[in-house]
Amino acid sequence: EVQLVESGGGLVEPGGSLELSCAASGFGFKNYHMTWVRQDSGKELEWVASINSGGFNTYYADSVQGRFTISRDNAKNTVTLHLSDLKTEDTGLYYCAKGDSPDCYSDSWCFDEVKENGHRGQGTQVTVSS
């Protein structure tokens, strides 16, 4: 059974930083791309970033490019999202999601795959407010 457990969220002021972690189990982690998505209250699910199975291809939404960094440790079965220069619009519940293939090559491919398979954790809340 696929299990994804996110941690690291919290309340932070605009301009601040956070590091989110996701611990994965129940599947061959090193064989799949991993993705972070987020959803704010009353809004649609939004794709944030993805990383391929080997960790050498990364993809970011335009809204977070240059501020967020996705990485993974295949020895520890973890994927991390480092958030910096946070803005109020970054507020939301952040989910770690498992892909169905080693790479996804584009934002739409990455996002469509995780939306369809539904493999997401329970999420960790990020609130950016002064």
Side-chain angles (χ1 to χ4, degrees):
E1 178 185 359
V2 173
Q3 291 196 332
L4 300 165
V5 180
E6 303 92 341
S7 62
L11 173 63
V12 62
E13 292 185 348
S17 299
L18 280 174
E19 186 163 277
L20 309 183
S21 293
C22 172
S25 61
F27 64 100
F29 179 79
K30 66 179 182 180
N31 296 320
Y32 298 97
H33 75 78
M34 296 296 295
T35 287
W36 286 93
V37 295
R38 68 187 180 188
Q39 188 169 26
D40 197 9
S41 178
K43 297 183 180 179
E44 292 187 353
L45 192 68
E46 179 186 7
W47 173 73
V48 176
S50 297
I51 187 167
N52 78 326
S53 59
F56 48 84
N57 285 341
T58 57
Y59 312 93
Y60 297 96
D62 289 344
S63 59
V64 308
Q65 179 76 49
R67 300 188 298 118
F68 291 10
T69 302
I70 188 171
S71 60
R72 65 189 294 160
D73 186 335
N74 284 346
K76 297 181 179 179
N77 285 8
T78 58
V79 58
T80 299
L81 186 69
H82 184 76
L83 296 68
S84 63
D85 190 21
L86 281 160
K87 306 175 187 296
T88 55
E89 53 263 39
D90 294 318
T91 293
L93 192 58
Y94 282 68
Y95 299 93
C96 167
K98 170 192 171 291
D100 289 333
S101 54
D103 208 337
C104 49
Y105 304 106
S106 72
D107 54 353
S108 58
W109 185 338
C110 299
F111 195 21
D112 287 348
E113 208 165 83
V114 301
K115 281 193 295 184
E116 288 172 9
N117 72 28
H119 291 308
R120 296 201 295 267
Q122 293 301 305
T124 186
Q125 178 68 34
V126 172
T127 302
V128 184
S129 175
S130 55

